[in-house]
Amino acid sequence: MLKLTPAERSELRAEAHGLSPVVIIGEGGLTAGVTKEIDASLNAHGLIKVRVFGDDREARVAIYDTICEQLKAAPVQHIGKLLVIFRPKKDAVKERSETRGKGMREVTIVKPSASGTKRPSVTKVMLKGNERVTAGGSIKRAKPRQKSAKKSMG
C-alpha cells in the first residue's frame, strides 16, 4: 500500500472535492470486474472516487483496504459511502504517428482597437492543424485542393 504524508493527503482531498464517483460498487461487492475497472480508472485519472452501496461500515472499510492493497494505491479519504483513492499515473511515452498532420497549437491574436486610442485586445486561441490566422486576426480553415476538370475526364 502507498503511504502519503498528511500534507499530500490534504492536497488530494481538496483536488478530489469536485470529482464525481467513477466506479460504483453494488450489492455484489468487490468482484474481479470491479477491481479491474478501478485499476483502469486509476491508470487514466490517478485520483478517483468510488461509491460503495450498503449500510455496513466495516464492510466498506474492508473493501477500501482491499482495493488499496491489491492495486498498490493510497487511501485518501473515506466519508460515508464515498472512498477517495490515489495512485500516481505511469508516464506513458506517446509516439506520434507519421500519417497524421500537425496537432492543436496555441496562438495569441492581438487586434488593435477600432479607435486606436484604447488597448489592443489580446486573445489566446487553440488552432487545429488545418487552420490559420489571417492578417485581420480571424481564423480560416484550409480549403481542399482544387482538382482540374480536364484531368479528371481523361
PDB file of all heavy atoms in Angstrom, residues 80-98:
ATOM      1  N   GLY A  80     -18.580   8.503   4.602  1.00  0.00           N
ATOM      2  CA  GLY A  80     -19.840   7.813   4.332  1.00  0.00           C
ATOM      3  C   GLY A  80     -19.627   6.675   3.359  1.00  0.00           C
ATOM      4  O   GLY A  80     -18.865   5.759   3.615  1.00  0.00           O
ATOM      5  N   LYS A  81     -20.287   6.758   2.201  1.00  0.00           N
ATOM      6  CA  LYS A  81     -20.205   5.690   1.212  1.00  0.00           C
ATOM      7  C   LYS A  81     -19.238   6.024   0.082  1.00  0.00           C
ATOM      8  O   LYS A  81     -19.170   5.308  -0.906  1.00  0.00           O
ATOM      9  CB  LYS A  81     -21.605   5.411   0.656  1.00  0.00           C
ATOM     10  CG  LYS A  81     -22.539   4.903   1.744  1.00  0.00           C
ATOM     11  CD  LYS A  81     -23.907   4.598   1.224  1.00  0.00           C
ATOM     12  CE  LYS A  81     -24.783   4.114   2.365  1.00  0.00           C
ATOM     13  NZ  LYS A  81     -26.094   3.712   1.929  1.00  0.00           N
ATOM     14  N   LEU A  82     -18.499   7.132   0.235  1.00  0.00           N
ATOM     15  CA  LEU A  82     -17.531   7.541  -0.789  1.00  0.00           C
ATOM     16  C   LEU A  82     -16.113   7.225  -0.344  1.00  0.00           C
ATOM     17  O   LEU A  82     -15.719   7.535   0.772  1.00  0.00           O
ATOM     18  CB  LEU A  82     -17.631   9.044  -1.059  1.00  0.00           C
ATOM     19  CG  LEU A  82     -18.752   9.507  -1.963  1.00  0.00           C
ATOM     20  CD1 LEU A  82     -18.733  11.013  -2.086  1.00  0.00           C
ATOM     21  CD2 LEU A  82     -18.639   8.883  -3.329  1.00  0.00           C
ATOM     22  N   LEU A  83     -15.359   6.622  -1.238  1.00  0.00           N
ATOM     23  CA  LEU A  83     -13.951   6.337  -0.993  1.00  0.00           C
ATOM     24  C   LEU A  83     -13.131   7.128  -2.014  1.00  0.00           C
ATOM     25  O   LEU A  83     -13.456   7.123  -3.199  1.00  0.00           O
ATOM     26  CB  LEU A  83     -13.664   4.845  -1.189  1.00  0.00           C
ATOM     27  CG  LEU A  83     -14.615   3.844  -0.547  1.00  0.00           C
ATOM     28  CD1 LEU A  83     -14.224   2.436  -0.957  1.00  0.00           C
ATOM     29  CD2 LEU A  83     -14.594   3.979   0.954  1.00  0.00           C
ATOM     30  N   VAL A  84     -12.088   7.809  -1.550  1.00  0.00           N
ATOM     31  CA  VAL A  84     -11.199   8.535  -2.456  1.00  0.00           C
ATOM     32  C   VAL A  84      -9.867   7.794  -2.459  1.00  0.00           C
ATOM     33  O   VAL A  84      -9.278   7.558  -1.406  1.00  0.00           O
ATOM     34  CB  VAL A  84     -11.013  10.002  -2.023  1.00  0.00           C
ATOM     35  CG1 VAL A  84     -10.095  10.730  -2.982  1.00  0.00           C
ATOM     36  CG2 VAL A  84     -12.349  10.710  -1.929  1.00  0.00           C
ATOM     37  N   ILE A  85      -9.416   7.426  -3.667  1.00  0.00           N
ATOM     38  CA  ILE A  85      -8.215   6.608  -3.818  1.00  0.00           C
ATOM     39  C   ILE A  85      -7.257   7.302  -4.778  1.00  0.00           C
ATOM     40  O   ILE A  85      -7.682   7.889  -5.784  1.00  0.00           O
ATOM     41  CB  ILE A  85      -8.589   5.216  -4.363  1.00  0.00           C
ATOM     42  CG1 ILE A  85      -9.581   4.543  -3.414  1.00  0.00           C
ATOM     43  CG2 ILE A  85      -7.365   4.341  -4.541  1.00  0.00           C
ATOM     44  CD1 ILE A  85     -10.251   3.333  -3.981  1.00  0.00           C
ATOM     45  N   PHE A  86      -5.950   7.217  -4.478  1.00  0.00           N
ATOM     46  CA  PHE A  86      -4.935   7.854  -5.312  1.00  0.00           C
ATOM     47  C   PHE A  86      -3.831   6.865  -5.647  1.00  0.00           C
ATOM     48  O   PHE A  86      -3.406   6.082  -4.809  1.00  0.00           O
ATOM     49  CB  PHE A  86      -4.325   9.063  -4.587  1.00  0.00           C
ATOM     50  CG  PHE A  86      -3.124   9.644  -5.295  1.00  0.00           C
ATOM     51  CD1 PHE A  86      -3.276  10.382  -6.442  1.00  0.00           C
ATOM     52  CD2 PHE A  86      -1.845   9.426  -4.811  1.00  0.00           C
ATOM     53  CE1 PHE A  86      -2.176  10.910  -7.091  1.00  0.00           C
ATOM     54  CE2 PHE A  86      -0.741   9.950  -5.459  1.00  0.00           C
ATOM     55  CZ  PHE A  86      -0.902  10.691  -6.596  1.00  0.00           C
ATOM     56  N   ARG A  87      -3.394   6.916  -6.894  1.00  0.00           N
ATOM     57  CA  ARG A  87      -2.190   6.200  -7.315  1.00  0.00           C
ATOM     58  C   ARG A  87      -1.543   7.052  -8.399  1.00  0.00           C
ATOM     59  O   ARG A  87      -2.215   7.479  -9.338  1.00  0.00           O
ATOM     60  CB  ARG A  87      -2.555   4.819  -7.870  1.00  0.00           C
ATOM     61  CG  ARG A  87      -1.313   4.002  -8.215  1.00  0.00           C
ATOM     62  CD  ARG A  87      -1.663   2.593  -8.610  1.00  0.00           C
ATOM     63  NE  ARG A  87      -2.354   2.590  -9.894  1.00  0.00           N
ATOM     64  CZ  ARG A  87      -2.962   1.519 -10.392  1.00  0.00           C
ATOM     65  NH1 ARG A  87      -2.999   0.399  -9.729  1.00  0.00           N
ATOM     66  NH2 ARG A  87      -3.550   1.583 -11.554  1.00  0.00           N
ATOM     67  N   PRO A  88      -0.234   7.343  -8.281  1.00  0.00           N
ATOM     68  CA  PRO A  88       0.416   8.174  -9.300  1.00  0.00           C
ATOM     69  C   PRO A  88       0.281   7.535 -10.678  1.00  0.00           C
ATOM     70  O   PRO A  88       0.395   6.319 -10.821  1.00  0.00           O
ATOM     71  CB  PRO A  88       1.881   8.227  -8.863  1.00  0.00           C
ATOM     72  CG  PRO A  88       1.937   7.666  -7.498  1.00  0.00           C
ATOM     73  CD  PRO A  88       0.691   6.902  -7.247  1.00  0.00           C
ATOM     74  N   LYS A  89       0.038   8.377 -11.672  1.00  0.00           N
ATOM     75  CA  LYS A  89      -0.099   7.865 -13.035  1.00  0.00           C
ATOM     76  C   LYS A  89       1.265   7.450 -13.559  1.00  0.00           C
ATOM     77  O   LYS A  89       2.268   8.091 -13.286  1.00  0.00           O
ATOM     78  CB  LYS A  89      -0.678   8.947 -13.955  1.00  0.00           C
ATOM     79  CG  LYS A  89      -2.161   9.151 -13.789  1.00  0.00           C
ATOM     80  CD  LYS A  89      -2.746   9.848 -14.980  1.00  0.00           C
ATOM     81  CE  LYS A  89      -2.947  11.310 -14.691  1.00  0.00           C
ATOM     82  NZ  LYS A  89      -3.587  12.025 -15.770  1.00  0.00           N
ATOM     83  N   LYS A  90       1.275   6.386 -14.361  1.00  0.00           N
ATOM     84  CA  LYS A  90       2.522   5.967 -15.008  1.00  0.00           C
ATOM     85  C   LYS A  90       2.755   6.882 -16.203  1.00  0.00           C
ATOM     86  O   LYS A  90       1.836   7.198 -16.949  1.00  0.00           O
ATOM     87  CB  LYS A  90       2.402   4.518 -15.484  1.00  0.00           C
ATOM     88  CG  LYS A  90       2.209   3.541 -14.346  1.00  0.00           C
ATOM     89  CD  LYS A  90       2.089   2.122 -14.891  1.00  0.00           C
ATOM     90  CE  LYS A  90       1.862   1.151 -13.767  1.00  0.00           C
ATOM     91  NZ  LYS A  90       0.468   0.989 -13.403  1.00  0.00           N
ATOM     92  N   ASP A  91       3.997   7.316 -16.381  1.00  0.00           N
ATOM     93  CA  ASP A  91       4.314   8.195 -17.509  1.00  0.00           C
ATOM     94  C   ASP A  91       4.461   7.351 -18.771  1.00  0.00           C
ATOM     95  O   ASP A  91       5.489   6.714 -18.995  1.00  0.00           O
ATOM     96  CB  ASP A  91       5.606   8.970 -17.254  1.00  0.00           C
ATOM     97  CG  ASP A  91       5.460   9.948 -16.097  1.00  0.00           C
ATOM     98  OD1 ASP A  91       4.338  10.447 -15.914  1.00  0.00           O
ATOM     99  OD2 ASP A  91       6.459  10.205 -15.400  1.00  0.00           O
ATOM    100  N   ALA A  92       3.420   7.343 -19.567  1.00  0.00           N
ATOM    101  CA  ALA A  92       3.452   6.590 -20.816  1.00  0.00           C
ATOM    102  C   ALA A  92       3.983   7.493 -21.920  1.00  0.00           C
ATOM    103  O   ALA A  92       3.516   8.619 -22.094  1.00  0.00           O
ATOM    104  CB  ALA A  92       2.049   6.104 -21.178  1.00  0.00           C
ATOM    105  N   VAL A  93       4.951   7.013 -22.643  1.00  0.00           N
ATOM    106  CA  VAL A  93       5.529   7.791 -23.735  1.00  0.00           C
ATOM    107  C   VAL A  93       4.673   7.575 -24.965  1.00  0.00           C
ATOM    108  O   VAL A  93       4.532   6.450 -25.455  1.00  0.00           O
ATOM    109  CB  VAL A  93       6.991   7.353 -24.009  1.00  0.00           C
ATOM    110  CG1 VAL A  93       7.586   8.161 -25.147  1.00  0.00           C
ATOM    111  CG2 VAL A  93       7.821   7.492 -22.748  1.00  0.00           C
ATOM    112  N   LYS A  94       4.093   8.667 -25.446  1.00  0.00           N
ATOM    113  CA  LYS A  94       3.238   8.571 -26.622  1.00  0.00           C
ATOM    114  C   LYS A  94       4.060   8.952 -27.851  1.00  0.00           C
ATOM    115  O   LYS A  94       4.684  10.016 -27.881  1.00  0.00           O
ATOM    116  CB  LYS A  94       2.034   9.507 -26.497  1.00  0.00           C
ATOM    117  CG  LYS A  94       1.079   9.096 -25.408  1.00  0.00           C
ATOM    118  CD  LYS A  94      -0.102  10.027 -25.376  1.00  0.00           C
ATOM    119  CE  LYS A  94      -1.039   9.644 -24.253  1.00  0.00           C
ATOM    120  NZ  LYS A  94      -2.130  10.587 -24.124  1.00  0.00           N
ATOM    121  N   GLU A  95       4.040   8.083 -28.828  1.00  0.00           N
ATOM    122  CA  GLU A  95       4.761   8.372 -30.061  1.00  0.00           C
ATOM    123  C   GLU A  95       3.763   8.822 -31.112  1.00  0.00           C
ATOM    124  O   GLU A  95       2.724   8.208 -31.295  1.00  0.00           O
ATOM    125  CB  GLU A  95       5.495   7.117 -30.537  1.00  0.00           C
ATOM    126  CG  GLU A  95       6.594   6.687 -29.589  1.00  0.00           C
ATOM    127  CD  GLU A  95       7.334   5.476 -30.111  1.00  0.00           C
ATOM    128  OE1 GLU A  95       7.350   5.260 -31.331  1.00  0.00           O
ATOM    129  OE2 GLU A  95       7.894   4.756 -29.272  1.00  0.00           O
ATOM    130  N   ARG A  96       4.147   9.907 -31.806  1.00  0.00           N
ATOM    131  CA  ARG A  96       3.262  10.418 -32.852  1.00  0.00           C
ATOM    132  C   ARG A  96       3.375   9.553 -34.090  1.00  0.00           C
ATOM    133  O   ARG A  96       4.460   9.154 -34.496  1.00  0.00           O
ATOM    134  CB  ARG A  96       3.641  11.850 -33.204  1.00  0.00           C
ATOM    135  CG  ARG A  96       3.213  12.843 -32.153  1.00  0.00           C
ATOM    136  CD  ARG A  96       3.637  14.228 -32.520  1.00  0.00           C
ATOM    137  NE  ARG A  96       3.039  14.623 -33.790  1.00  0.00           N
ATOM    138  CZ  ARG A  96       2.307  15.701 -33.961  1.00  0.00           C
ATOM    139  NH1 ARG A  96       2.088  16.499 -32.959  1.00  0.00           N
ATOM    140  NH2 ARG A  96       1.822  16.015 -35.125  1.00  0.00           N
ATOM    141  N   SER A  97       2.257   9.285 -34.700  1.00  0.00           N
ATOM    142  CA  SER A  97       2.294   8.528 -35.945  1.00  0.00           C
ATOM    143  C   SER A  97       2.630   9.490 -37.080  1.00  0.00           C
ATOM    144  O   SER A  97       2.283  10.671 -37.049  1.00  0.00           O
ATOM    145  CB  SER A  97       0.948   7.852 -36.195  1.00  0.00           C
ATOM    146  OG  SER A  97      -0.052   8.831 -36.363  1.00  0.00           O
ATOM    147  N   GLU A  98       3.303   8.983 -38.067  1.00  0.00           N
ATOM    148  CA  GLU A  98       3.756   9.833 -39.183  1.00  0.00           C
ATOM    149  C   GLU A  98       2.617  10.183 -40.139  1.00  0.00           C
ATOM    150  O   GLU A  98       2.744  11.097 -40.937  1.00  0.00           O
ATOM    151  CB  GLU A  98       4.879   9.119 -39.954  1.00  0.00           C
ATOM    152  CG  GLU A  98       6.108   8.840 -39.101  1.00  0.00           C
ATOM    153  CD  GLU A  98       6.741  10.098 -38.526  1.00  0.00           C
ATOM    154  OE1 GLU A  98       6.847  11.102 -39.256  1.00  0.00           O
ATOM    155  OE2 GLU A  98       7.097  10.085 -37.344  1.00  0.00           O
TER     156      GLU A  98
END
